[in-house]
Amino acid sequence: MECEICGKPVPEHNPIRAKIEGSVMIVCKECSKLGKIQKAPPKPKYVQQKNKRQPNKPKRNYSRNDEPSEELIEDFDMTIRKARESKNWSREDLGKKINERVSVITRIETGKMTPDTKLTKKFEKALNIKLLEKVENVDLNQFINSSSGERTLGNIMKIKRK
């Protein structure tokens, strides 16, 4: 084992760990003076064997079908605010209807927060609006014959101009 600063050998049975400039490193005796010496991390009392599977948690295989099929619309914040105002509801009223805090609704309406799928569905149901749109799968093979011959993110993306 070598010192992470100067490269001198460090004893493997008792390495010195020092916090230097915010990073914990394994260092030699001389370099340990540059920072604060750290205690060795405690050894775990119980180590779970990797071969055993827990009976309650079935192994899950993920596939392309697990990708989201719906996506939040771009101007969700304005849509939510306009729908709420059209019903003459305050943010407090909407919060009570969907069981959510007013601060969360304020942050979503100002665009500072993006709602998760569960919250988005609550907004859709309470305000009778559509916030999720279907996402079609893109066949990446159609982009192989681009000008450079390589697939890039710019070749695949649809850029929405305002």
Coordinates of all heavy atoms in Angstrom, one line a residue, residues 101-138:
R101 N -49.3 19.9 1.0 CA -49.0 21.2 1.7 C -49.0 22.3 0.7 O -48.7 22.2 -0.5 CB -47.6 21.2 2.3 CG -47.6 20.3 3.6 CD -46.2 20.2 4.2 NE -45.4 19.5 3.3 CZ -44.0 19.5 3.3 NH1 -43.4 20.2 4.2 NH2 -43.3 18.7 2.5
V102 N -49.3 23.5 1.1 CA -49.4 24.7 0.3 C -48.0 25.1 -0.3 O -47.9 25.5 -1.4 CB -50.0 25.9 1.1 CG1 -50.0 27.2 0.2 CG2 -51.4 25.6 1.6
S103 N -47.0 24.8 0.5 CA -45.6 25.2 0.1 C -45.2 24.3 -1.1 O -44.6 24.8 -2.1 CB -44.6 25.0 1.2 OG -44.6 23.6 1.6
V104 N -45.7 23.1 -1.2 CA -45.4 22.2 -2.3 C -46.1 22.7 -3.6 O -45.5 22.8 -4.6 CB -45.8 20.7 -2.0 CG1 -45.7 19.8 -3.2 CG2 -44.9 20.2 -0.9
I105 N -47.4 23.1 -3.4 CA -48.1 23.6 -4.5 C -47.5 24.9 -5.1 O -47.4 25.1 -6.3 CB -49.6 23.8 -4.1 CG1 -50.2 22.4 -3.8 CG2 -50.4 24.5 -5.2 CD1 -51.6 22.5 -3.2
T106 N -47.1 25.7 -4.2 CA -46.4 27.0 -4.6 C -45.2 26.7 -5.4 O -44.9 27.3 -6.4 CB -46.1 27.8 -3.3 OG1 -47.3 28.1 -2.6 CG2 -45.5 29.2 -3.7
R107 N -44.3 25.8 -4.9 CA -43.1 25.5 -5.6 C -43.3 24.9 -6.9 O -42.6 25.1 -7.9 CB -42.2 24.6 -4.7 CG -41.6 25.4 -3.5 CD -40.9 24.6 -2.5 NE -40.1 23.5 -3.0 CZ -39.8 22.4 -2.3 NH1 -40.3 22.2 -1.2 NH2 -39.0 21.5 -2.9
I108 N -44.4 24.1 -7.0 CA -44.7 23.5 -8.3 C -45.3 24.5 -9.3 O -44.9 24.6 -10.5 CB -45.7 22.3 -8.1 CG1 -45.0 21.1 -7.5 CG2 -46.3 21.9 -9.5 CD1 -45.9 20.0 -7.0
E109 N -46.1 25.4 -8.8 CA -46.7 26.4 -9.7 C -45.7 27.5 -10.1 O -45.8 28.1 -11.2 CB -47.9 27.1 -9.0 CG -49.1 26.3 -8.9 CD -50.3 27.1 -8.4 OE1 -50.2 28.2 -8.0 OE2 -51.4 26.5 -8.3
T110 N -44.6 27.7 -9.4 CA -43.6 28.6 -9.8 C -42.5 27.9 -10.6 O -41.6 28.6 -11.0 CB -43.0 29.3 -8.5 OG1 -42.5 28.3 -7.6 CG2 -44.0 30.2 -7.8
G111 N -42.6 26.6 -10.8 CA -41.6 25.9 -11.6 C -40.3 25.5 -10.8 O -39.4 25.0 -11.4
K112 N -40.3 25.7 -9.5 CA -39.1 25.4 -8.7 C -39.1 23.9 -8.4 O -38.0 23.4 -7.9 CB -39.1 26.2 -7.5 CG -38.9 27.7 -7.7 CD -38.9 28.5 -6.5 CE -38.7 30.0 -6.8 NZ -38.8 30.8 -5.6
M113 N -40.2 23.2 -8.6 CA -40.2 21.8 -8.2 C -41.0 21.1 -9.3 O -42.0 21.6 -9.8 CB -40.9 21.6 -6.9 CG -41.1 20.2 -6.4 SD -41.9 20.2 -4.8 CE -42.5 18.5 -4.7
T114 N -40.6 19.9 -9.6 CA -41.3 19.0 -10.6 C -42.0 17.9 -9.8 O -41.4 17.2 -9.0 CB -40.3 18.4 -11.5 OG1 -39.5 19.4 -12.2 CG2 -41.0 17.6 -12.6
P115 N -43.3 17.8 -10.0 CA -44.0 16.8 -9.2 C -43.7 15.4 -9.7 O -43.4 15.2 -10.9 CB -45.5 17.1 -9.5 CG -45.5 17.8 -10.8 CD -44.2 18.5 -10.9
D116 N -43.7 14.4 -8.8 CA -43.5 13.0 -9.2 C -44.8 12.5 -9.8 O -45.9 13.2 -9.9 CB -43.1 12.2 -8.0 CG -44.1 12.1 -6.9 OD1 -45.2 12.8 -7.0 OD2 -43.9 11.3 -6.0
T117 N -44.8 11.3 -10.3 CA -46.0 10.7 -11.1 C -47.2 10.7 -10.2 O -48.3 11.0 -10.6 CB -45.7 9.3 -11.6 OG1 -44.4 9.4 -12.3 CG2 -46.8 8.8 -12.5
K118 N -47.1 10.3 -8.9 CA -48.2 10.1 -8.0 C -48.9 11.5 -7.8 O -50.1 11.6 -7.9 CB -47.7 9.6 -6.7 CG -48.8 9.3 -5.7 CD -48.2 8.6 -4.5 CE -49.3 8.3 -3.4 NZ -48.7 7.8 -2.2
L119 N -48.1 12.5 -7.5 CA -48.6 13.9 -7.3 C -49.2 14.4 -8.6 O -50.2 15.1 -8.6 CB -47.5 14.8 -6.8 CG -47.9 16.2 -6.4 CD1 -49.0 16.2 -5.4 CD2 -46.7 17.0 -5.8
T120 N -48.6 14.1 -9.7 CA -49.1 14.6 -11.0 C -50.5 14.1 -11.2 O -51.4 14.8 -11.7 CB -48.2 14.2 -12.2 OG1 -46.9 14.7 -11.9 CG2 -48.7 14.7 -13.5
K121 N -50.7 12.8 -10.9 CA -52.0 12.2 -11.1 C -53.1 12.8 -10.1 O -54.2 12.9 -10.5 CB -51.9 10.7 -10.9 CG -51.2 10.0 -12.0 CD -51.2 8.5 -12.0 CE -50.3 7.9 -13.0 NZ -51.0 7.6 -14.3
K122 N -52.6 13.2 -8.9 CA -53.5 13.9 -8.0 C -54.0 15.2 -8.6 O -55.2 15.6 -8.6 CB -52.8 14.2 -6.7 CG -52.7 13.0 -5.8 CD -52.1 13.5 -4.5 CE -51.8 12.4 -3.5 NZ -51.1 13.0 -2.3
F123 N -53.0 16.0 -9.2 CA -53.4 17.2 -9.9 C -54.4 17.0 -11.0 O -55.3 17.7 -11.2 CB -52.1 17.9 -10.4 CG -51.4 18.7 -9.3 CD1 -50.1 18.4 -9.0 CD2 -52.0 19.8 -8.7 CE1 -49.4 19.1 -8.1 CE2 -51.3 20.5 -7.7 CZ -49.9 20.2 -7.4
E124 N -54.1 16.0 -11.8 CA -54.9 15.7 -13.0 C -56.4 15.4 -12.5 O -57.3 15.9 -13.1 CB -54.4 14.5 -13.8 CG -53.2 14.8 -14.6 CD -52.7 13.6 -15.4 OE1 -53.0 12.5 -15.0 OE2 -52.1 13.9 -16.5
K125 N -56.5 14.6 -11.5 CA -57.8 14.2 -11.0 C -58.6 15.4 -10.4 O -59.8 15.6 -10.7 CB -57.7 13.1 -10.0 CG -59.0 12.5 -9.6 CD -58.8 11.2 -8.7 CE -60.1 10.6 -8.3 NZ -60.0 9.5 -7.5
A126 N -57.9 16.2 -9.5 CA -58.6 17.3 -8.8 C -58.9 18.4 -9.8 O -60.0 19.0 -9.7 CB -57.7 17.8 -7.7
L127 N -58.0 18.7 -10.7 CA -58.3 19.9 -11.6 C -58.9 19.5 -12.9 O -59.2 20.4 -13.7 CB -56.9 20.6 -11.8 CG -56.3 21.2 -10.5 CD1 -54.9 21.7 -10.8 CD2 -57.1 22.3 -10.0
N128 N -59.0 18.2 -13.2 CA -59.6 17.7 -14.5 C -58.8 18.2 -15.6 O -59.3 18.8 -16.6 CB -61.0 18.1 -14.6 CG -61.7 17.3 -15.6 OD1 -61.3 16.2 -16.0 ND2 -62.9 17.8 -16.1
I129 N -57.4 18.0 -15.6 CA -56.5 18.5 -16.6 C -55.6 17.3 -17.0 O -55.6 16.3 -16.3 CB -55.6 19.7 -16.2 CG1 -54.9 19.3 -14.9 CG2 -56.5 20.9 -16.0 CD1 -53.9 20.4 -14.5
K130 N -54.9 17.4 -18.1 CA -54.0 16.4 -18.6 C -52.6 16.9 -18.5 O -52.2 17.9 -19.1 CB -54.3 16.1 -20.1 CG -53.7 14.8 -20.6 CD -54.4 13.6 -20.0 CE -53.8 12.4 -20.6 NZ -53.7 11.3 -19.7
L131 N -51.8 16.3 -17.6 CA -50.4 16.7 -17.4 C -49.4 15.7 -18.0 O -48.2 16.1 -18.1 CB -50.1 17.0 -15.9 CG -50.9 18.1 -15.2 CD1 -50.7 18.1 -13.8 CD2 -50.5 19.4 -15.8
L132 N -49.8 14.5 -18.2 CA -48.9 13.5 -18.7 C -49.2 13.2 -20.1 O -50.4 13.1 -20.5 CB -49.0 12.2 -17.8 CG -48.6 12.3 -16.4 CD1 -49.0 11.0 -15.6 CD2 -47.1 12.5 -16.3
E133 N -48.2 13.1 -20.9 CA -48.4 12.8 -22.4 C -47.6 11.5 -22.7 O -46.6 11.2 -22.1 CB -47.9 14.0 -23.2 CG -46.4 14.3 -23.1 CD -46.0 15.5 -23.9 OE1 -46.9 16.2 -24.5 OE2 -44.8 15.8 -24.0
K134 N -48.1 10.8 -23.6 CA -47.5 9.5 -24.0 C -46.2 9.8 -24.7 O -46.0 10.8 -25.4 CB -48.4 8.8 -25.0 CG -49.7 8.3 -24.4 CD -49.5 7.0 -23.7 CE -50.9 6.5 -23.2 NZ -50.8 5.6 -22.1
V135 N -45.2 8.9 -24.4 CA -43.9 9.0 -25.0 C -43.7 7.9 -26.0 O -43.9 6.7 -25.6 CB -42.8 9.0 -24.0 CG1 -41.4 9.0 -24.6 CG2 -42.9 10.1 -23.0
E136 N -43.4 8.2 -27.3 CA -43.3 7.1 -28.2 C -41.8 6.6 -28.2 O -40.9 7.4 -27.9 CB -43.7 7.5 -29.6 CG -42.7 8.5 -30.3 CD -43.1 10.0 -30.1 OE1 -44.1 10.2 -29.4 OE2 -42.4 10.8 -30.6
N137 N -41.6 5.4 -28.4 CA -40.3 4.8 -28.5 C -39.6 5.2 -29.7 O -40.2 5.3 -30.8 CB -40.3 3.3 -28.4 CG -40.8 2.8 -27.1 OD1 -40.5 3.4 -26.0 ND2 -41.4 1.6 -27.0
V138 N -38.3 5.6 -29.6 CA -37.5 6.0 -30.7 C -36.6 4.9 -31.2 O -35.9 4.3 -30.4 CB -36.7 7.3 -30.3 CG1 -35.8 7.7 -31.5 CG2 -37.5 8.4 -29.9

